[in-house]
């Protein structure tokens, strides 16, 4: 059973940076795709960034393009989210997700693409 563990969340001021990490264990597929979602109370979970293992193709939410960068280390089975120029509206619980398969680009940011989820890490951006 795949397990995902996120780390790196915290409280920062607007304009600051944070780097989230997610470790995958328990049988990662060589075709897996991984992603970062975020959720605030009362809103749907939103995919902010996703990256496909086989070709490192990525997809980003418009709200984070140019500020967030997703990357992965296939040897360590890790995924990272570098978040720069953070804004108060980035405040959310951030979840790591993994799909056993290798979806098409248009499906990378869909929640139903993903089979496994982490417990989440809180990111709060406030002055």
């Amino acid at each position: 059973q795949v397990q995902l563990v996120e780390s790196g969340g915290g409280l920062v001021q607007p304009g600051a940076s944070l780097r989230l990490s997610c470790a995958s264990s328990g049988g990662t597929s060589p075709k897996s795709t991984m992603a970062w979602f975020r959720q605030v109370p009362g809103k749907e979970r939103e995919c902010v960034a996703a990256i496909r293992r086989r070709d490192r193709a990525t997809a980003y939410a418009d709200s984070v393009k140019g500020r967030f960068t997703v990357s992965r280390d296939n040897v360590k089975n890790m995924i990272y989210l570098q978040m720069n120029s953070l804004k108060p509206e980035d405040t959310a619980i951030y979840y790591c997700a993994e799909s056993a398969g290798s979806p098409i680009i248009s499906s990378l940011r869909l929640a139903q693409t993903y089979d496994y989820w982490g417990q989440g890490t809180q990111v709060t951006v406030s002055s």
Side-chain angles (χ1 to χ4, degrees):
Q1 180 72 14
V2 172
Q3 292 186 324
L4 303 173
V5 179
E6 304 97 336
S7 60
L11 171 62
V12 296
Q13 293 188 339
S17 297
L18 272 179
R19 188 191 194 212
L20 304 183
S21 300
C22 173
S24 174
S25 63
T28 300
S29 163
K31 298 181 180 179
S32 74
T33 292
M34 298 184 75
W36 288 98
F37 285 74
R38 66 185 180 187
Q39 189 169 26
V40 296
K43 292 190 176 181
E44 289 189 2
R45 195 169 289 192
E46 171 196 31
C47 180
V48 295
I51 183 166
R52 205 159 54 184
R53 183 184 180 103
R54 59 181 173 88
D55 58 3
R56 299 182 187 272
T58 57
Y60 291 92
D62 288 343
S63 59
V64 306
K65 283 180 181 177
R67 299 189 299 122
F68 290 12
T69 302
V70 63
S71 60
R72 66 185 296 167
D73 183 328
N74 289 340
V75 174
K76 296 180 179 179
N77 291 328
M78 299 280 294
I79 183 176
Y80 307 97
L81 186 67
Q82 179 65 44
M83 303 186 293
N84 299 328
S85 302
L86 282 162
K87 304 175 181 180
E89 52 263 42
D90 294 318
T91 295
I93 298 175
Y94 283 71
Y95 297 91
C96 177
E98 183 169 354
S99 164
S102 184
I104 58 176
I105 293 290
S106 59
S107 297
L108 285 181
R109 294 186 55 237
L110 300 178
Q112 56 261 43
T113 293
Y114 297 90
D115 305 294
Y116 309 102
W117 296 83
Q119 294 298 307
T121 185
Q122 177 71 47
V123 172
T124 302
V125 185
S126 175
S127 55

